[in-house]
Amino acid sequence: MDETPITLKGTADGILLKPRSHVWATVLEALEQALKEAEAFFRGSRLIMELGNRELTQDQLASLRALLMRYDIELWAVLSENETTVRLVRSNGVLTRLPKDTEAKKSPDDVLPPEQQALFLQQTLRSGQSIHYAGNVTLIGDVNPGAEIVAGGNIIVWGTLRGVAHAGAFGDEETAICALDLQPSQIRIAGYIGRAPDGRRGSAEPEVARIEGGQIVAEVWGRRG
Amino acid sequence: MAGKIITISSGKGGVGKTTATANLGLSLAILGKRVTCIDADIGLRNLDVMLGLENRIVYDIINFIEGRCRFRQALVRDKRFPELYMMAAAQTRDKNSITVEDMTKVAREAAEISDFVLIDSPAGIEHGFRYAVAPADLVLIVTNPEVTAVRDADRVIGLLEAEELAPAQLILNRYKPELVRRNEMLDPDTVIDLLAIDLIGIVPEDDKVFGAGNQGRPVALDEHSRAGKAFRNIGRRLTGEDVPFEALRKQTFIQRLFGSR
Ligand SMILES: Nc1ncnc2c1ncn2[C@@H]1O[C@H](COP(=O)(O)OP(=O)(O)OP(=O)(O)O)[C@@H](O)[C@H]1O
Ligand SMILES: [Mg+2]
């Protein structure tokens, strides 16, 4: 059977990597290829590797970390059923289980193309926390200063957006960022960057930001057309 | 029943963690509680000075962890309240001399003989922070009404939430109503709204805090100190008493009078 060497998908906790090939070099090669294709999306995110009962050596772990470091990705957790591997991973200061039970939060399925998938979150996204997701992201709650959402699709914040939001991270210029209270430190849509004018207090009404005439424009929701 | 373990943490340094630990320790002792304060800021020992117990230290927490003394020997008894104890940090060591398991063991043992165990956490979000919050039943986040301190508090709360550690409550320290009125300081509502955790007390800026810290006589012992009163109120709230938020209310009332905000 002609299997792809790895599967890679966005979850609420980070990027989930499942090696399929049993040749480590092939796994790394495929991973690098995938990271190269969407650097902007992956930059600054964290990665969870799911290994099943396969064993991992110190060299393999080190080579993976070196690769991820080049793309500014943190190796956050390695999930394994193999005791030797669990011990090895722990001794390297990497988590071996996720703090929260994330099974329920994994992206819906692999059947839909990423741009049709959506991640729904209900929480305060706090300083230092980031969400990287290939599809659309809806968050009920605030995005605080120092927090970040990077999405392949649209971003909707049912709350106050004070942190950084990047929609269309794979280059889709048709995407939008909506927030009940839009006062971000910075927003990006595809390759465009918009920064709130200093001292701007968001409008009292929900706003939507999108690309118009070669720049990012924020407008009060519902006042269009 | 084992006592409650409370860690005082902040992210940003210098916002008043040690001041809060010393004052809450005394406030709870005043209420007749058995309290053990643990200085977890290994290498930057401060709590002993603020409590005025510096010259009574014989053994410290590392001595106990390394088996050089018994638990009781590592405790320094307060001269004012016989049921208030302090365990000193080691000044000559660093934070890597302690593991999460060590700290948890010490805190649990202290909880056996106390109603409240207060752990004074080091600043930052690294190892020192992690071992300090690990055994906590409750984390008190100290912040100042300024953008950087609030951002760091938010980071710490995020870490506690993500790792499903103890619930957090907020102490807003060094509050100056006149600066808020002039729009030079974040107002408490903005801070509470952003951090989205329960407030346990607002402590005003008070010149007496500085001297009190140097003299080893925390303001909680001072009837006339406003900060002291605020700390005593937080102590009462920790024991479950429902104490109204006097200071905050008064300020918003004054603000309303002057039509600011
Ligand atoms: N309410 C207050 N009013 C006036 N001064 C205060 C107040 N709270 C704290 N301070 C002062 O702020 C300084 C720092 O306090 P403290 O040492 O308690 O902070 P810390 O958070 O423990 O610092 P570190 O991160 O270095 O451990 C001290 O000089 C103290 O006197
Ligand atoms: Mg301190």
Coordinates of all heavy atoms in Angstrom, one line a residue, chain B residues 1-5 32-36 83 110-111 113-117:
Chain B
M1 N -7.6 17.3 59.7 CA -7.6 17.6 58.3 C -6.5 18.5 57.9 O -6.1 19.4 58.6 CB -8.9 18.4 58.0 CG -9.5 18.0 56.6 SD -10.9 19.1 56.2 CE -10.1 20.6 55.7
A2 N -5.9 18.2 56.7 CA -4.7 19.0 56.3 C -5.1 20.4 55.9 O -6.2 20.6 55.5 CB -4.0 18.3 55.1
G3 N -4.2 21.4 56.2 CA -4.5 22.7 55.9 C -4.5 23.0 54.4 O -4.1 22.2 53.6
K4 N -4.9 24.3 54.1 CA -5.0 24.7 52.7 C -3.6 25.2 52.2 O -3.0 26.1 52.9 CB -6.1 25.8 52.6 CG -6.4 26.1 51.2 CD -7.7 26.9 51.1 CE -8.1 27.2 49.7 NZ -9.4 27.7 49.6
I5 N -3.2 24.8 51.1 CA -1.9 25.3 50.5 C -2.1 26.4 49.5 O -2.8 26.1 48.5 CB -1.1 24.1 49.9 CG1 -0.9 23.0 50.9 CG2 0.2 24.6 49.3 CD1 -0.3 21.7 50.4
G32 N -6.0 33.8 64.6 CA -5.9 32.6 65.4 C -5.6 31.3 64.6 O -5.7 30.2 65.1
K33 N -5.3 31.5 63.3 CA -5.0 30.3 62.5 C -3.5 29.8 62.7 O -2.7 30.7 62.9 CB -5.2 30.6 61.0 CG -6.7 31.1 60.7 CD -7.6 30.0 60.9 CE -9.1 30.5 60.8 NZ -10.1 29.5 61.2
R34 N -3.3 28.6 62.4 CA -2.0 28.0 62.4 C -1.5 28.2 61.0 O -2.1 27.7 60.0 CB -2.0 26.5 62.8 CG -2.5 26.3 64.2 CD -2.6 24.8 64.5 NE -3.5 24.2 63.5 CZ -3.5 22.9 63.1 NH1 -2.6 22.1 63.6 NH2 -4.4 22.5 62.2
V35 N -0.3 28.9 60.9 CA 0.1 29.2 59.5 C 1.6 28.9 59.4 O 2.4 29.1 60.3 CB 0.0 30.8 59.3 CG1 0.4 31.1 57.8 CG2 -1.4 31.3 59.6
T36 N 2.0 28.3 58.2 CA 3.4 28.1 57.9 C 3.6 28.8 56.5 O 3.0 28.6 55.5 CB 3.7 26.6 57.7 OG1 3.4 25.9 58.9 CG2 5.2 26.5 57.4
E83 N 1.9 30.3 66.8 CA 1.4 29.3 65.8 C 1.7 29.8 64.4 O 1.1 29.2 63.4 CB 0.0 29.0 66.0 CG -0.2 28.3 67.3 CD -1.5 27.5 67.4 OE1 -2.6 28.2 67.1 OE2 -1.5 26.4 67.7
A110 N 3.9 20.5 55.8 CA 3.5 21.7 56.5 C 2.0 21.8 56.7 O 1.5 22.2 57.8 CB 4.0 22.9 55.7
A111 N 1.3 21.3 55.7 CA -0.2 21.3 55.8 C -0.7 20.4 57.0 O -1.8 20.7 57.5 CB -0.8 20.9 54.5
I113 N 0.4 20.3 59.9 CA 0.4 21.0 61.2 C -0.1 22.4 61.1 O 0.1 23.2 62.0 CB 1.9 21.0 61.7 CG1 2.8 21.7 60.7 CG2 2.4 19.6 62.1 CD1 4.1 22.2 61.3
S114 N -0.7 22.8 60.0 CA -1.2 24.1 59.8 C -2.6 24.2 59.2 O -3.1 23.2 58.6 CB -0.3 24.9 58.8 OG 1.1 24.6 58.9
D115 N -3.2 25.3 59.5 CA -4.5 25.6 58.8 C -4.3 26.1 57.4 O -5.0 25.9 56.5 CB -5.4 26.6 59.6 CG -5.7 26.0 61.0 OD1 -6.1 24.8 61.1 OD2 -5.4 26.7 62.0
F116 N -3.2 27.0 57.3 CA -2.8 27.5 56.0 C -1.3 27.4 55.8 O -0.5 27.7 56.7 CB -3.2 29.0 56.0 CG -4.7 29.2 55.9 CD1 -5.4 29.4 57.1 CD2 -5.3 29.3 54.7 CE1 -6.8 29.6 57.0 CE2 -6.7 29.5 54.6 CZ -7.4 29.7 55.8
V117 N -0.9 27.0 54.6 CA 0.5 27.0 54.2 C 0.6 28.0 53.1 O -0.2 28.0 52.1 CB 0.9 25.6 53.7 CG1 2.4 25.7 53.2 CG2 0.8 24.6 54.8

